């Protein structure tokens, strides 16, 4: 390996903290991550040779505080890393410097890798102060692995996913550059909405949005997008990088706190939205003209809007037998599931929490729509479905194909999702308040219960049922029954800390709060009584 010892010496392991690769990749305090970045740079070159394609590395901690950072590896189709490689990442990240070279050579031998093969790696980073230093460590690793690094600098996470897919399809999906990304999305948006769409008010739709950029990478990228959109959409960007990343702003803050971000003059009649720190989540919100209160439209409302629009287009195109479904997790609001099944008449599939599960299940359908309640989601369309749509040539199918071009199918993308949502609202002449009135969310509450060992709690049925400790699910069922119809609760172990997450919903906020509190008390009692595994 090229200059291995020299590069290792400046990216050596400084402590003994164990860090795992999970759904969000690696994520921790930035000071803990330099050696991991170097090792993942090397691993990226090995993975690229195994799959014989370009792969990606994104340095970000998404909605986490500024002092955190992290890393995600991106596979050839722009998807998340093959789950079977997560344990390999974790192993390489946590062994000693002295063991590293032998471990790498063993992996090379096990995978049958020819290190003379080319290995191309696309690298992007968010705006955190630590990201530049950590990016250099990744590139050191790519150099040590004798690969070629293409450093895209500051990008959103979805842009790197997009560009990896583009380069691996030889440009069929799009041009593998940041400007190529803006051109593809803006051209589709303008084609659907008109070059001067911002001057046209359609019924109750006003073509103007206020974007909360979370003081992250999404803010400057939204401003760059404006140059490509021209007069097709009015866009004002706040929290544009002059403040602290994700501090009292951004999609996660709005979703969890259920209130508007800082530095916002909150007015009736305006449509607001928030990105998270790396611009892969989006949450809409507004001030209600009836009660003057904050109202939020999260991932569930977004999924319903998009799926209903796709169903309408497919029906108009007379190809309504396409397998269109929505994929949710247990955190999806019960009212959304009821509306999808009983009003939209579409199938709903529930999977465990985590985008990798949602994305995989969505890909099994002709068209799969998935959004976590936190606003992270997208639409996947199979190649055979696109071919079939192309065979039915009419005005509606041309509109449908252009609409598909507006979607970043690789991963949840706040910028792409914003353009998709604005297109649908304009086509319907709807205000955000009218969109919100599709159904009424059931009041809900999330609680975190700290425990000695989260592993004593295990779940099944897509995390909706508790398997252990024995008796916990029976206790939960008994509590839920006290609160009547439309009430439910579930628990699941945290993926990142020794805690158990409790989710509850009911017909009033008071009931939801009480239900969550009672379930949390039972979780604390039973989890603490079980010996550590």
């Amino acid at each position: 390996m090229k200059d291995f010892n020299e590069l290792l010496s400046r990216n050596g392991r400084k402590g003994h903290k164990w860090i795992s690769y999970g759904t969000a990749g690696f994520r921790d305090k930035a000071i803990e991550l330099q050696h991991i970045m170097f090792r993942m740079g090397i691993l990226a070159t090995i993975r690229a040779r195994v799959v014989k394609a370009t792969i990606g590395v994104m340095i970000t901690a998404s909605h986490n505080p500024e002092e955190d950072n992290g890393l995600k590896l991106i596979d050839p189709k722009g998807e998340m890393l093959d789950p079977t490689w997560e344990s390999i990442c974790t192993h390489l990240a946590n062994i000693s410097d002295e063991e590293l070279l032998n471990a790498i050579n063993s992996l090379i031998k096990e995978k049958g890798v020819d290190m003379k093969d080319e290995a191309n790696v696309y690298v992007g980073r968010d705006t955190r102060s630590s990201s530049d230093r950590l990016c250099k460590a990744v590139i050191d690793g790519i150099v040590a692995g004798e690969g070629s690094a293409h450093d895209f600098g500051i990008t959103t996470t979805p842009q790197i996913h997009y560009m990896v897919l583009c380069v691996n399809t030889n440009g069929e999906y799009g041009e593998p550059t940041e400007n190529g990304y803006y051109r593809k999305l803006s051209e589709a948006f303008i084609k659907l909405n008109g070059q001067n769409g911002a001057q046209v008010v359609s019924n109750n739709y006003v073509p103007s949005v206020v974007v909360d950029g979370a003081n992250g990478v999404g803010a400057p990228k939204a401003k760059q997008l404006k140059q490509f959109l021209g007069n097709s959409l009015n866009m004002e960007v706040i929290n544009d990088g002059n403040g602290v990343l994700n501090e009292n702003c951004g999609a996660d803050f709005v979703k969890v706190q259920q209130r508007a971000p800082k530095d916002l003059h909150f007015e009736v009649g305006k449509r607001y939205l928030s990105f998270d720190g790396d611009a892969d989540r989006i949450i809409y919100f507004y001030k209600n003209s009836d009660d003057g209160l904050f109202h939020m439209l999260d991932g569930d409302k977004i999924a319903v809007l998009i799926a209903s629009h796709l169903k309408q287009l497919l029906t108009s195109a007379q190809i309504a037998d396409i397998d269109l479904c929505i994929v949710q997790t247990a955190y999806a609001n019960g009212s959304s599931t009821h509306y999808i099944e009983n009003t939209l008449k579409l199938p709903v599939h529930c999977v465990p929490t985590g985008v990798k599960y949602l994305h995989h299940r969505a890909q099994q359908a002709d068209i799969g729509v998935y959004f976590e309640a936190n606003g992270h989601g997208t639409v996947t369309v199979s190649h055979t479905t696109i071919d079939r749509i192309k065979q039915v040539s009419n005005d509606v199918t041309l509109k449908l194909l252009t609409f598909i071009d507006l979607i970043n199918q690789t991963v949840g993308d706040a910028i792409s999702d914003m353009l998709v949502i604005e297109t649908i609202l304009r086509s319907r002449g709807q205000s955000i308040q009218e969109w919100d009135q599709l159904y009424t969310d059931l009041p809900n509450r999330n609680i975190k219960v700290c425990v000695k060992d989260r592993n004593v709690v295990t779940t099944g049925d897509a995390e909706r049922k508790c398997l252990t400790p024995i008796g916990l699910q029976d206790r939960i069922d008994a509590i839920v029954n006290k609160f009547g119809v439309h009430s439910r609760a579930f628990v699941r172990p945290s993926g990142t800390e020794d805690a158990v997450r409790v989710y509850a919903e009911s017909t009033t906020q008071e009931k939801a709060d009480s239900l969550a509190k009672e379930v949390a008390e039972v979780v604390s009692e039973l989890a603490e009584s079980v010996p550590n595994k």
Side-chain angles (χ1 to χ4, degrees), residues 56-62 72 74 78 122-128 131 151-164 177-179 181-182 185 211-225 245 275-281 376 408 410-418:
V57 174
M58 182 64 197
I59 300 158
T60 183
S62 187
K72 302 176 185 178
I74 300 165
Y122 279 11
V123 183
R125 64 184 187 274
D126 70 14
T127 55
R128 294 166 197 271
S131 289
D151 182 6
F152 283 89
I154 294 174
T155 69
T156 70
T157 293
Q159 286 175 336
I160 287 292
H161 282 260
Y162 168 89
M163 289 185 280
V164 167
T177 66
E178 189 175 330
N179 280 348
Y181 166 89
Y182 295 129
L185 295 185
V211 179
D212 161 29
N215 287 313
V217 64
K221 300 310 179 185
K223 291 180 179 180
Q224 286 178 249
L225 174 69
L245 175 68
F275 296 164
D276 65 336
D278 65 337
D280 61 5
R281 295 184 185 184
H376 190 167
N408 184 350
T410 63
V411 72
D413 182 344
I415 290 175
S416 166
D417 292 336
M418 172 186 70

Side-chain angles (χ1 to χ4, degrees), residues 137-151:
V138 169
I139 292 174
D140 278 351
I142 296 169
V143 170
E146 299 180 45
S148 298
H150 187 145
D151 182 6

Side-chain angles (χ1 to χ4, degrees), residues 65-230:
E66 157 72 24
E67 62 268 20
D68 292 355
N69 217 318
L71 174 146
K72 302 176 185 178
L73 292 170
I74 300 165
D75 260 357
K77 294 181 180 178
E79 74 271 48
M80 299 176 74
L81 177 68
D82 181 337
T84 63
W85 278 65
E86 292 178 6
S87 59
I88 298 173
C89 293
T90 299
H91 175 66
L92 282 186
N94 291 287
I95 58 178
S96 68
D97 288 348
E98 291 73 23
E99 298 172 290
L100 182 59
L101 186 57
N102 284 339
I104 290 168
N105 286 332
S106 294
L107 179 63
I108 290 169
K109 183 177 179 180
E110 176 193 335
K111 299 297 182 182
V113 172
D114 185 347
M115 292 299 286
K116 294 179 182 177
D117 290 346
E118 67 175 16
N120 296 311
V121 183
Y122 279 11
V123 183
R125 64 184 187 274
D126 70 14
T127 55
R128 294 166 197 271
S129 57
S130 60
S131 289
D132 183 58
R133 171 178 58 85
L134 297 179
C135 182
K136 289 173 181 172
V138 169
I139 292 174
D140 278 351
I142 296 169
V143 170
E146 299 180 45
S148 298
H150 187 145
D151 182 6
F152 283 89
I154 294 174
T155 69
T156 70
T157 293
Q159 286 175 336
I160 287 292
H161 282 260
Y162 168 89
M163 289 185 280
V164 167
L165 177 58
C166 288
V167 73
N168 287 320
T169 54
N170 297 314
E172 179 185 340
Y173 189 70
E175 178 188 330
T177 66
E178 189 175 330
N179 280 348
Y181 166 89
Y182 295 129
R183 275 194 289 270
K184 180 178 180 180
L185 295 185
S186 61
E187 286 172 5
F189 185 80
I190 290 168
K191 191 172 180 180
L192 289 166
N193 299 286
Q195 180 70 51
N196 296 309
Q199 279 70 53
V200 180
V201 177
S202 176
N203 294 334
N204 293 326
Y205 175 82
V206 178
S208 182
V209 293
V210 179
V211 179
D212 161 29
N215 287 313
V217 64
K221 300 310 179 185
K223 291 180 179 180
Q224 286 178 249
L225 174 69
K226 284 175 66 175
Q227 299 172 22
F228 289 81
L229 290 175

Side-chain angles (χ1 to χ4, degrees), residues 312-425:
Q312 183 180 14
L313 288 174
L314 289 167
T315 301
S316 298
Q318 298 183 329
I319 45 176
D321 59 327
I322 291 285
D323 172 25
L324 168 64
C325 74
I326 293 182
V327 187
Q328 297 184 322
T329 71
Y331 284 104
N333 195 278
S335 287
S336 72
T337 308
H338 185 270
Y339 182 86
I340 295 162
E341 292 178 331
N342 296 286
T343 301
L344 292 184
K345 306 292 185 184
L346 289 174
V348 179
H349 304 285
C350 187
V351 299
T353 304
V355 170
K356 63 183 177 182
Y357 301 112
L358 289 150
H359 195 86
H360 177 70
R361 182 60 186 87
Q363 287 181 315
Q364 295 175 31
D366 294 336
I367 302 178
V369 180
Y370 74 84
F371 274 83
E372 291 186 294
N374 62 27
H376 190 167
T378 190
V379 180
T380 63
V381 186
S382 71
H383 290 297
T384 54
T385 301
I386 290 176
D387 289 341
R388 186 177 170 199
I389 294 169
K390 287 178 178 177
Q391 291 171 6
V392 184
S393 183
N394 56 49
D395 289 344
V396 179
T397 55
L398 290 174
K399 184 181 292 187
L400 178 56
L401 290 169
T402 304
F403 185 77
I404 291 170
D405 276 344
L406 201 54
I407 298 164
N408 184 350
Q409 294 187 49
T410 63
V411 72
D413 182 344
I415 290 175
S416 166
D417 292 336
M418 172 186 70
L419 297 179
V420 165
I421 292 163
E422 294 303 314
T423 295
I424 297 171
L425 293 179

Side-chain angles (χ1 to χ4, degrees), residues 442-444 483 486-487 505-514:
L442 286 167
N444 56 85
F483 287 83
H486 301 308
S487 298
E505 64 184 28
S506 192
T507 50
T508 68
Q509 191 61 58
E510 183 180 8
K511 281 187 175 183
D513 292 345
S514 298

